[in-house]
Amino acid sequence: MSRARQPPLVTGISPKEGAAWTKVTIRGENLGTGPADLIGLSICGHNCLLTAEWMSASKIVCRVGPAKDDKGEIIVTTKSGGLGTSTVSFKLIRPERIGILDQSAVWVDEMNYYDMRTNRNKGISPLSLRPSNPLGIEIDKGKIPQKDMELTFPGMSGDFTSENFSATWYLIENHAGSSFEQLKIAASNLKKQATKKNEGSLAYVKGGLSTFFEAQDALSAIHQRLESDGTEKVEGSMTQRLENILNKASDTADTLFQEVLGRKDKADSTRNALNVLQRFKFLFNLPLNIERNIQKGDYDVVINDYEKAKSLFGNTEVPVFKKVYAEVETRIGALRSLLLEKLLQTPSTLHDQKRYIRYLSDLHAPGDPAWQCIYAQHKWILQLMQNCRDEFISGQRVGAGVLDLEGDTRPSALGRLSHTASLKRGGSLRTPRPSTWRFETPQQVQFVEKLSDVVIGQLPNFWKLWISYVNGSLFSETGEKSGQVEKSKKNARQRQNDFKKMIEELTNRLVKLIRGALLPTTLPQGELSLYGGWENKTELTGAWLTQIIHTVRGCHDALSALEIPNDLLQVIQDLLLELRVHCLMLTLLHTTEDVKRLAEKEDWVVDNEGITSLPSQFEQCMVQMLQSLKEPLEIKPGEINVLQLDQVQDQAAELSVSIMKVFINCLDQLSTKTDEDMDTSHNISVDLTSPDRFSGIQEGFSPTSEQRLLIILSNCQYLERHTFLNLADHFEKHGFTGTEKITRVSVDAVRELDRKLFDAYIERRADPIAGSLEPGIYAGYFDWRDCQTPTGVRNYLKEALVNIITVHAEVFTVSKDLVPRVLSKIVESVADEMCRLMQCVSSFSKNGALQARLELCALRDAVATYLNTDSNSSFKLALDALPQLHSGADKKLLEELLNKFKSSMQLQLTCFQPSSIQPVKR
């Protein structure tokens, strides 16, 4: 009992060294009472209990596992004795592994490549068998970061199994600190490995001679045994028995495995079919892939797959391949139809059109898809233009506001009108409009803008598509560049005339549609039904025509930028010329109507220069008209100056003269306006001592007919001296010809009106004053032959002077410049009447002659400032008709009485003195 409880003791192991999985025999004492008593066995620290076979208490057989330690003890553990000890050790040899692809003269035990403990037969990767240190020297890792190595050696790798292996990278990474001697040893090791590989099969045969000898000995022994048995045909011989056994085994195997082998054959045939499907799965899956890619829109993938299938199976004779390829052709035919439908579908972008044309070209579609697309686009643009006109005519586009055809507000159109907003007063003068009329765009303007948008939006892509068709760039992204490009160029050369006709048709349609809306009289009668129908629309003003000209010019510029030949765009230039002429004439006619209504704006309020706002309003109206014509008259590249056309020159000059005459006629009408609506109770006498001598004439003032004559006379003078000259400068600045004729006719007309109005005023004011002289002279039965000594100027003369002063005040209140002209004429009339009266007296007494001379000299001296040649002559004739004064006393009395008169009426006579005080500008 005491011996059974002693711990196991290992005293020997055979062999003492070996590789992993080497079979060893362990000997010793107390190694267990049986297999069940053995509970532990480790060699070099590796548990070998699974492979242990207990033989006796002194012997155990097992296999050495792949221990971590190269050398270690053998420890046996039993239930009865516990953990044992060992007096010997085992050395584990780690042989160099033979790679899966390496040649070997002996059978390699594949057990090394499997995990015996788990029995899962997990194969070891061949890469795991590569040497960790191919140079055979100590590894000294460098400290250079991986990123720096990648930047230094782009596209390379330090892994020697990589295709992009860099030896320099490997040495820097693993042997940065190795000495030169170590590197020489490493080079020697590499040479040995290369030499060992290059020795070939003979080296392996030499290394395995013992194996070949053993095989030779075994074959010789078998041969000798057969010979000792006798002839092979003898019944019961070894070979016969062997044959019988083999035949029986074969029959039994056939019986046992017939069903299995049948299934195997079927599986083999299925496997072969699957192999075919797998090998040619591209073709078999192609119909379904084509359908899926078409649904996703991946036409490039479909075309590439089709080209590949065509090159591989296009001429195949295999029935199954022919059947599948026919299905592919059917799907491709459907794709051609689909792409052609998308190509001809409108609207579409230029990019999509080019893409579909390339697809159809790559699919070898019949015909010429590019030309079909060009033709379809041409018809579609024509239809868009016609639909645009039809929609406006049918009333579907009714509604104010600057709207495009989608109903979106377009502030850009209002922006283009901003600079002409002040020029639209013509419409407001002609017809009453709502307060929002400036923001209501006429239908014709909306139509031209939308039509221009259609042309600018579609024609450039249409032209670019043709250019791509001509230069062959439609096929620049296809595989067959040269052939497709040459074919495209050839087709384009044949169809140049056809395309030119298409562009001409588009530009002609554009021009005719605009003519139908704006210049219907320029269209033949037969085309009015197609392009006309705008009779019920609003009449356009010059400002709207200017916007239309701007729009058409923008359309022409956009087409010119495409480098479309000028001869194809000439019709648009012709239309622009007619629109500019039409805008010029229409603006002049509308201005004539505006000027006619200026008379309604006369408020009779004069400024310190004696003119009302009417001449300024007329000048402003004309300047605004010329400014509104600035854009239509502007000469763009390729255009001509409309004012250089003889017919246009004559019409413009006539209309300009007509405008001037209309305004002068307005002044004439104002002068003859009745006093029914005037407040005749207004007294024109004003406080001449007031600092503001114009306070009597304010807004709401209703002048008398005589005051109106004076105001209009003042306006006429201003027109002749300033307004007409200013307008002549404006006309010349804007390029108008015949300004001299316009100015000459205008000045003549205004002078004629001035003469007429002046005569009328003088007649109204001078006749009453002259007519009151004779009754005043002979009042109280006065007789020149029998009168008393003069004591002063009689009252009739004072009354006449007061009346002249009244006229002076009336004229001065309106215009200081008119005073000399009017008073000279008044004085002339009075002097002429006095001369007539004096010449009619048959005889004078001494006192009568003195009285007459006193009154004539008083009157003459009082109005001396306004005497002219005729009035001086009249006064001279009147004095000559009087007897001469011979007495010095009479002359002295005359002088005293004259001084007395001038002194007593000094205040009244002050107005007849020249004034150095200029009126204050207000």
Side-chain angles (χ1 to χ4, degrees), residues 67 102 254 393 417 450 488 596 653 853 884 900 907:
D102 292 342
D254 289 342
I393 293 299
L417 282 176
K450 178 58 183 175
S488 172
K596 283 183 181 179
R853 187 173 294 275
Q884 297 297 321
K900 178 183 177 182
L907 179 63

Side-chain angles (χ1 to χ4, degrees), residues 8-14 21-32 34-67 72-79 82-86 88 90 117:
L9 175 63
V10 176
T11 58
I13 184 170
S14 178
W21 307 114
T22 300
K23 191 173 184 181
V24 296
T25 301
I26 302 172
R27 297 185 182 277
E29 300 176 0
N30 303 320
L31 300 182
D37 190 40
L38 183 64
I39 60 174
L41 174 61
S42 65
I43 302 175
C44 298
H46 184 270
N47 189 359
C48 301
L49 185 62
L50 289 177
T51 60
E53 184 179 356
W54 187 87
M55 305 300 292
S56 66
S58 59
K59 181 180 178 181
I60 297 175
V61 178
C62 72
R63 287 185 180 273
V64 179
E73 295 181 341
I74 301 93
I75 305 299
V76 177
T77 305
T78 60
K79 291 181 181 180
L83 182 65
T85 58
S86 173
V88 295
F90 182 81
R117 292 170 297 175

Side-chain angles (χ1 to χ4, degrees), residues 758-776:
F758 183 77
D759 291 344
Y761 181 79
I762 295 301
E763 181 181 353
R764 293 189 184 188
R765 290 306 187 195
D767 289 355
I769 297 175
S772 65
L773 292 176
E774 186 173 2

Side-chain angles (χ1 to χ4, degrees), residues 895-907:
E895 184 176 353
E896 290 176 355
L897 293 176
L898 281 175
N899 290 334
K900 178 183 177 182
F901 166 76
K902 293 177 182 179
S903 175
S904 63
M905 293 194 67
Q906 180 180 2
L907 179 63

Side-chain angles (χ1 to χ4, degrees), residues 668-805:
D668 191 9
Q669 292 177 359
L670 287 173
S671 68
T672 58
K673 192 173 183 180
T674 60
D675 294 339
E676 295 177 358
D677 301 327
M678 299 286 182
D679 183 11
T680 56
S681 63
H682 181 77
N683 187 359
I684 68 171
S685 298
V686 294
D687 185 5
L688 299 179
T689 63
S690 172
D692 187 358
R693 61 188 180 86
F694 303 102
S695 60
I697 301 181
Q698 302 172 351
E699 288 194 29
F701 165 64
S702 300
T704 62
S705 59
E706 290 79 9
Q707 288 175 321
R708 292 203 302 273
L709 288 174
L710 287 174
I711 292 173
I712 295 174
L713 277 173
S714 178
N715 286 342
C716 288
Q717 286 188 352
Y718 186 82
L719 287 173
E720 180 181 352
R721 297 172 184 175
H722 299 92
T723 304
F724 288 157
L725 298 179
N726 293 340
L727 289 180
D729 292 338
H730 285 294
F731 275 120
E732 291 181 356
K733 187 185 300 183
H734 287 81
F736 274 76
T737 57
T739 53
E740 295 180 358
K741 176 184 176 182
I742 297 173
T743 305
R744 184 180 69 254
V745 174
S746 303
V747 170
D748 291 344
V750 80
R751 285 177 178 174
E752 177 64 24
L753 177 62
D754 177 86
R755 183 193 59 76
K756 173 184 173 183
L757 298 181
F758 183 77
D759 291 344
Y761 181 79
I762 295 301
E763 181 181 353
R764 293 189 184 188
R765 290 306 187 195
D767 289 355
I769 297 175
S772 65
L773 292 176
E774 186 173 2
I777 289 175
Y778 296 105
Y781 302 101
F782 178 80
D783 188 358
W784 294 108
R785 292 172 295 182
D786 182 17
C787 60
Q788 298 178 356
T789 303
T791 58
V793 176
R794 289 184 293 169
N795 289 335
Y796 82 92
L797 188 62
K798 295 180 181 180
E799 182 181 352
L801 286 173
V802 170
N803 289 334
I804 295 175
I805 291 172

Side-chain angles (χ1 to χ4, degrees), residues 293-311:
N293 289 326
I294 289 176
Q295 292 178 358
K296 292 190 295 183
D298 294 337
Y299 302 120
D300 290 311
V301 177
V302 175
I303 293 172
N304 292 334
D305 291 346
Y306 173 64
E307 291 293 337
K308 182 178 178 181
K310 186 176 181 180
S311 62

Side-chain angles (χ1 to χ4, degrees), residues 362-609:
D362 292 342
L363 292 175
H364 307 287
D368 189 351
W371 180 252
Q372 289 178 278
C373 178
I374 290 173
Y375 183 79
Q377 286 294 309
H378 169 248
K379 293 298 182 184
W380 181 63
I381 296 174
L382 286 177
Q383 190 61 44
L384 277 181
M385 296 166 68
Q386 195 64 37
N387 289 346
C388 181
R389 176 258 177 194
D390 294 343
E391 288 175 356
F392 276 96
I393 293 299
S394 61
Q396 297 179 14
R397 297 295 174 185
V398 174
V402 185
L403 304 175
D404 62 8
L405 291 184
E406 283 72 35
D408 298 330
T409 304
R410 297 185 57 188
S412 60
L414 287 176
R416 291 197 296 270
L417 282 176
S418 62
H419 69 286
T420 58
S422 62
L423 309 179
K424 298 177 185 175
R425 77 254 170 264
S428 62
L429 290 173
R430 283 190 296 277
T431 54
R433 291 178 180 264
S435 59
T436 59
W437 77 272
R438 291 178 184 271
F439 304 99
E440 297 178 358
T441 306
Q443 294 286 295
Q444 297 96 313
V445 180
Q446 294 187 45
F447 166 68
V448 173
E449 286 190 349
K450 178 58 183 175
L451 188 62
S452 178
D453 290 343
V454 169
V455 174
I456 295 176
Q458 302 300 328
L459 198 54
N461 287 340
F462 181 64
W463 178 260
K464 291 175 183 177
L465 181 63
W466 165 254
I467 295 300
S468 300
Y469 182 58
V470 170
N471 59 29
S473 61
L474 279 176
F475 311 101
S476 60
E477 298 179 5
T478 61
E480 302 174 0
K481 291 184 179 179
S482 59
Q484 293 291 353
V485 169
E486 292 302 322
K487 181 181 178 182
S488 172
K489 290 183 177 179
K490 181 180 178 181
N491 292 338
R493 286 193 295 269
Q494 295 174 351
R495 295 189 167 105
Q496 280 184 347
N497 290 333
D498 294 337
F499 183 77
K500 183 177 180 181
K501 291 180 180 178
M502 288 183 179
I503 295 294
E504 289 177 348
E505 186 175 1
L506 289 172
T507 53
N508 286 329
R509 180 68 61 87
L510 170 67
V511 169
K512 288 180 179 178
L513 287 172
I514 296 178
R515 286 182 183 277
L518 305 175
L519 306 169
T521 56
T522 62
L523 287 176
Q525 191 65 30
E527 295 181 350
L528 286 177
S529 59
L530 285 175
Y531 309 115
W534 298 86
E535 293 78 8
N536 297 328
K537 303 300 181 182
T538 307
E539 182 185 359
L540 295 181
T541 63
W544 290 119
L545 279 175
T546 300
Q547 180 180 341
I548 290 175
I549 291 172
H550 179 83
T551 302
V552 177
R553 275 177 170 167
C555 181
H556 180 271
D557 293 343
L559 299 183
S560 297
L562 299 174
E563 298 182 355
I564 297 178
N566 290 331
D567 58 331
L568 298 180
L569 302 179
Q570 187 58 41
V571 289
I572 302 180
Q573 285 283 21
D574 297 340
L575 172 65
L576 275 172
L577 177 61
E578 294 187 39
L579 285 176
R580 292 164 64 202
V581 173
H582 180 61
C583 179
L584 172 62
M585 301 306 169
L586 188 66
T587 302
L588 290 173
L589 287 174
H590 287 176
T591 304
T592 304
E593 298 297 323
D594 296 345
V595 170
K596 283 183 181 179
R597 289 163 176 79
L598 281 179
E600 301 172 4
K601 295 189 174 184
E602 178 60 276
D603 54 8
W604 303 106
V605 177
V606 298
D607 60 8
N608 53 358
E609 294 182 359

